[in-house]
Amino acid sequence: MNHLLPISIILSALLLSGSRVYAEDGYQLWLRYAPIETPRLAAAYRQLGTQVSFPTSSETLRIAQAELVRGLTGMTGSRPVVAAAFATPTLVAGTPDGSGAIRQLSPGLPLEKLGKEGFIITIRPLAGRQTLVVAANTDIGVMYGVFRLLMLMQQGYDLTQANITEVPRCQLRLLNHWDNLTRYVERGYAGQSIWDWHKLPDYLYPRYTDYARANASIGINGTVLTNVNANAEVLTTPYLQKVQALAAIFRPYGIKVYLTARFSAPVEIGGLPTADPLDPAVRAWWHSKAAEIYALIPDFGGFVVKANSEGQPGPQNYGRSHAEGANMLAEAIAPHGGIVMWRAFVYSHEAPEDRAKQAYSEFKPLDGQFLPNVFVQVKNGPVDFQPREPFHPLFGAMPRTPLMMEFQITKEYLGFATHLVYLAPLYRETLGADTYAGGPGTTVAEIVDGTFHAYKMSGMAGVSNIGTDRNWCGSHFDQANWYAFGRLAWDHSLSAETVASEWIKATFGLIPGVNAIQRMMMMSREAAVQYMTPLGLHHLMGWGHHYGPAPWLNHAERPDWNSTYYHKADSAGIGFDRSPAGSGATDQYHAPVAARWADPRTCPENLLLWFHHLDWTYRMQNGRMLWDELCYQYSQGVDSVRFMLQTWEGLEDQIDPERFADVRTFLQIQLQEAIWWRSACLLYFQQYARLPLPAGLEPLTGTLETYQQQRFRYAPGN
Ligand code: GCW
């Protein structure tokens, strides 16, 4: 038959299907602006677009206005009518300086509370009618307000009641890309680096703009382009010109660029014999490097530095302290308004001290020695982005040094891209933890946002999960983690549930399954903890790539890269004794926390084996012995994934086929891998426990030997 026929059929099918012409491939993220299917709401939103007063005197305002037009058109099906001013507007947006209407309304608006980035979305009478107002002190604030307004519309929010004032709680809300100049992303599971260094600065992918837009929509205001395992070459002139091109794209979106500074750069690209921070030639080199950077990028944000950690060079190579190293860089960029984010993720080859204690031991004595434009950037927990860790003891221990929170968005230790693990519960758990730094109720969040110690600077960084994959993050649900990081950096008091529900509605629409998806997301992190590392276990993953279980790992080149270092399972029991009788890590916490965690009876059971080595027959609070409880926990983790898969399968008629199928396949992979984790870990621990699996639990599959023989040389991200 005629081979052209199928093509014409396909074409007309595409034309007829209207908005369904484009497959839902995830590229649009949470900014889909799909048609609102509730007629009443769509009509109300359409009405808002009748006369929009929105003057645009800057690129930022042009972007904000275009976003409003795009959003309203998408959601209501009709294009709003926009001009600098209408006599009787339905919606007004702007600043008191730029918009006559806002100026007129401003005596009644709490603009003084908004600072440089906050905004108001409210209803005010204007020219005899109730008008929706988006107001801010700055153009960036207006842009944030517009993004928020459109997000609320995607939630089906009733704007007739709108009375919203938002101000970010942290000043700096940054993504940290662990992207190499080769485009390989360390711990990246979403393709290559989106920075195509070779084609920069001449060729600019549209994706760079889309990236800026997505970040701005959730309030992210800075991006560190390069890996903390740094390459000095990014500081050479040709690369700085490439960075300049990206900075120009990001600027109108309120996003500054930052780079990682390799401490040995003066030697590697500067031709100096040393990088000693106290050497005058080294200091002069960094001063002139800073001047060069700021001549190209006047609003350059500053440097992130990983020094004397995992083989990276640093001041200690020259017998100098972290403070001396950080201050040398800080001095070079202070005249230009830049900052230094000096990472506290240090642990030494030589030091026999418990790895969980080393950052505190190193940095606590340096409190007060850093220049005012230095942050110490601290991971959420003291080891390394594990599925569950206690909060890092430095939070609450450095009253004179602003601490920046570092979360990981990419899921290095949480199953990579194929496991559905929603991270807001993890972020919230850390942020909500009580440090007791100022008595009960001094949360990590209040330390980080600067309120408790009256820090002059505050910030949160998230290690990005973004790459060249069409869906940006390697999986549809991983987009929720990027979204959640941004939302919580903006407002850490938001609940994980709220953030999930916002994201679901924007991503999948106002479908009946919103609650079911929210439930899956909310249980997913605990599920991963249970099938990987329950009861405070940690660092049981494969060597190097960190893929899959390897509790047997005991031959890595450093003791603290071995799983056995962390679980210490033997015939007498399991767990790392960090009580005062053991490594004493509990002593790094404020007294009430230290006392509670030092005693297995009062230590939260979800951290039990983080802090204690206990007999296999130790009695848990529910009366089970430890071995049995471990078996139940692993089993519960697998069951939760089964439940998540079933839940998703029940949503087939509510989700577009492309995304439905992708997610289902990934959940099937997650289930297989959860079963693998459970069997491999329990078979391994059973050798020491010498106890049977409790009756009624499903049998373990496979043999320990075959699990131990598996190799994954090319697992991603390493
Ligand atoms: O979690 C570990 C990772 C390393 C990473 C390091 C760090 C960038 O396995 O890949 O290096 O942390 O945070 O510096």
Side-chain angles (χ1 to χ4, degrees):
M1 268 277 295
N2 185 347
H3 68 279
L4 291 174
L5 191 63
I7 295 171
S8 61
I9 291 173
I10 291 167
L11 279 177
S12 52
L14 286 174
L15 290 171
L16 286 173
S17 62
S19 64
R20 298 248 166 184
V21 166
Y22 299 102
E24 291 273 9
D25 58 11
Y27 189 81
Q28 300 299 327
L29 297 161
W30 48 86
L31 300 167
R32 288 164 59 252
Y33 305 137
I36 301 268
E37 282 169 21
T38 320
R40 184 190 50 81
L41 264 181
Y45 294 169
R46 201 173 298 123
Q47 159 66 18
L48 275 177
T50 326
Q51 295 192 7
V52 180
S53 296
F54 198 151
T56 53
S57 53
S58 69
E59 187 55 21
T60 301
L61 290 174
R62 274 188 288 280
I63 289 167
Q65 191 197 74
E67 192 71 27
L68 186 71
V69 169
R70 179 177 181 165
L72 279 175
T73 309
M75 286 186 276
T76 68
S78 58
R79 202 181 157 82
V81 183
V82 187
F86 285 99
T88 54
T90 45
L91 193 163
V92 297
T95 63
D97 291 342
S99 152
I102 302 292
R103 194 158 45 247
Q104 188 187 330
L105 290 168
S106 63
L109 297 173
L111 289 163
E112 69 288 348
K113 290 191 195 151
L114 301 181
K116 288 192 177 144
E117 293 181 308
F119 58 81
I120 300 166
I121 300 174
T122 189
I123 300 282
R124 286 288 189 278
L126 190 71
R129 75 150 62 144
Q130 290 298 93
T131 305
L132 187 69
V133 176
V134 180
N137 292 320
T138 64
D139 296 353
I140 294 291
V142 175
M143 185 185 68
Y144 286 152
V146 166
F147 274 118
R148 193 82 197 109
L149 173 66
L150 293 171
M151 196 66 190
L152 292 170
M153 291 180 173
Q154 294 198 87
Q155 318 293 302
Y157 191 88
D158 177 4
L159 290 163
T160 56
Q161 307 302 320
N163 188 14
I164 294 166
T165 302
E166 287 196 26
V167 180
R169 291 187 189 244
C170 282
Q171 295 161 2
L172 299 185
R173 306 173 299 277
L174 310 187
L175 287 185
N176 284 8
H177 286 263
W178 285 357
D179 293 18
N180 293 335
L181 301 184
T182 59
R183 300 193 74 184
Y184 192 79
V185 181
E186 183 159 350
R187 311 311 176 181
Y189 313 103
Q192 285 190 293
S193 168
I194 58 172
W195 320 131
D196 189 340
W197 294 103
H198 181 69
K199 297 197 191 87
L200 282 164
D202 302 306
Y203 182 70
L204 304 171
Y205 285 88
R207 193 181 268 247
Y208 298 149
T209 310
D210 295 340
Y211 166 88
R213 171 176 170 249
N215 278 319
S217 77
I218 50 176
I220 286 174
N221 64 3
T223 178
V224 185
L225 301 175
T226 47
N227 191 352
V228 290
N229 289 330
N231 184 336
E233 197 138 336
V234 78
L235 300 178
T236 61
T237 309
Y239 275 92
L240 291 174
Q241 286 163 348
K242 296 168 193 279
V243 174
Q244 179 187 31
L246 291 175
I249 297 176
F250 302 160
R251 187 169 295 117
Y253 290 88
I255 297 169
K256 287 186 180 184
V257 298
Y258 300 74
L259 292 172
T260 46
R262 185 158 162 94
F263 203 76
S264 49
V267 177
E268 287 162 15
I269 59 167
L272 296 181
T274 176
D276 181 348
L278 300 192
D279 183 291
V282 170
R283 300 173 83 85
W285 187 85
W286 281 110
H287 269 86
S288 75
K289 188 46 79 181
E292 181 191 354
I293 295 174
Y294 280 91
L296 291 168
I297 310 161
D299 56 352
F300 179 71
F303 295 128
V304 175
V305 187
K306 171 175 177 177
N308 295 117
S309 165
E310 299 184 330
Q312 294 299 303
Q316 295 179 337
N317 298 27
Y318 307 95
R320 316 295 184 195
S321 74
H322 283 288
E324 287 168 316
N327 290 346
M328 183 264 301
L329 289 173
E331 229 176 76
I333 58 171
H336 310 280
I339 60 156
V340 170
M341 292 160 278
W342 193 269
R343 293 176 87 230
F345 179 69
V346 298
Y347 61 102
S348 132
H349 229 333
E350 297 76 31
E353 189 181 37
D354 172 5
R355 174 169 157 190
K357 293 180 66 181
Q358 293 188 30
Y360 179 101
S361 304
E362 188 93 58
F363 279 88
K364 163 88 182 148
L366 300 177
D367 190 27
Q369 294 184 27
F370 293 95
L371 287 175
N373 62 330
V374 178
F375 273 107
V376 169
Q377 180 167 314
V378 183
K379 288 188 181 182
N380 57 284
V383 169
D384 196 357
F385 297 139
Q386 294 301 295
R388 169 167 284 120
E389 298 197 22
F391 69 87
H392 200 297
L394 279 172
F395 294 113
M398 299 201 55
R400 295 192 289 159
T401 312
L403 300 182
M404 182 176 277
M405 171 64 80
E406 180 176 317
F407 284 125
Q408 198 176 42
I409 308 172
T410 191
K411 303 206 309 301
E412 176 181 359
Y413 300 102
L414 286 145
F416 301 179
T418 43
H419 291 210
L420 193 169
V421 183
Y422 172 53
L423 294 174
L426 185 161
Y427 301 158
R428 286 280 310 143
E429 182 172 296
T430 307
L431 292 165
D434 193 348
T435 66
Y436 281 77
T442 319
T443 61
V444 170
E446 287 164 81
I447 311 278
V448 170
D449 74 12
T451 48
F452 180 66
H453 294 304
Y455 291 155
K456 298 272 183 315
M457 310 193 290
S458 62
M460 278 197 220
V463 178
S464 153
N465 63 354
I466 297 163
T468 49
D469 276 10
R470 183 69 191 160
N471 66 24
W472 297 89
C473 301
S475 86
H476 297 295
F477 274 87
D478 280 323
Q479 298 178 353
N481 293 330
W482 177 9
Y483 182 82
F485 169 76
R487 294 291 287 135
L488 290 174
W490 178 274
D491 182 357
H492 55 65
S493 74
L494 292 168
S495 73
E497 287 87 346
T498 302
V499 174
S501 130
E502 289 176 6
W503 177 82
I504 297 163
K505 290 174 183 165
T507 303
F508 295 113
L510 299 172
I511 54 172
V514 168
N515 290 343
I517 300 177
Q518 188 193 36
R519 187 149 175 235
M520 284 169 64
M521 290 171 75
M522 288 306 297
M523 70 195 292
S524 62
R525 185 278 186 129
E526 201 58 42
V529 169
Q530 289 180 309
Y531 65 72
M532 290 180 173
T533 51
L535 300 178
L537 288 173
H538 50 292
H539 216 289
L540 303 186
M541 66 292 159
W543 186 26
H545 47 63
H546 299 166
Y547 175 62
W552 45 82
L553 178 67
N554 65 0
H555 59 271
E557 65 211 69
R558 315 172 42 131
D560 51 12
W561 285 355
N562 285 319
S563 304
T564 49
Y565 173 94
Y566 296 96
H567 64 68
K568 301 201 188 314
D570 55 23
S571 58
I574 181 170
F576 196 132
D577 185 0
R578 294 191 165 107
S579 75
S583 81
T586 49
D587 292 339
Q588 294 182 334
Y589 293 90
H590 288 277
V593 182
R596 189 174 329 132
W597 291 356
D599 180 349
R601 291 278 139 217
T602 50
C603 179
E605 288 193 336
N606 63 15
L607 290 173
L608 197 58
L609 303 177
W610 184 284
F611 288 113
H612 299 282
H613 187 82
L614 298 167
D615 288 358
W616 294 106
T617 55
Y618 174 85
R619 281 288 152 204
M620 303 293 292
Q621 274 154 28
N622 62 12
R624 285 186 190 140
M625 66 176 165
L626 175 58
W627 162 255
D628 286 354
E629 181 61 18
L630 204 60
C631 296
Y632 278 105
Q633 290 280 331
Y634 273 107
S635 306
Q636 177 63 54
V638 171
D639 289 345
S640 296
V641 179
R642 252 185 214 119
F643 179 84
M644 286 158 59
L645 176 58
Q646 274 163 16
T647 305
W648 186 254
E649 283 176 335
L651 297 169
E652 182 157 13
D653 57 342
Q654 298 179 39
I655 310 279
D656 51 284
E658 294 83 356
R659 289 187 299 176
F660 177 78
D662 282 358
V663 172
R664 178 172 54 191
T665 305
F666 279 13
L667 283 164
Q668 286 161 346
I669 296 172
Q670 184 175 10
L671 179 56
Q672 284 162 23
E673 295 191 353
I675 293 171
W676 168 34
W677 267 94
R678 170 182 185 265
S679 293
C681 291
L682 289 178
L683 285 168
Y684 172 80
F685 291 133
Q686 197 170 31
Q687 308 173 92
Y688 300 104
R690 295 171 182 278
L691 290 164
L693 204 67
L697 292 186
E698 82 188 50
L700 304 178
T701 52
T703 65
L704 181 56
E705 216 186 8
T706 41
Y707 291 128
Q708 286 177 314
Q709 279 161 3
Q710 285 173 308
R711 294 288 175 273
F712 305 97
R713 286 177 62 196
Y714 304 114
N718 190 16

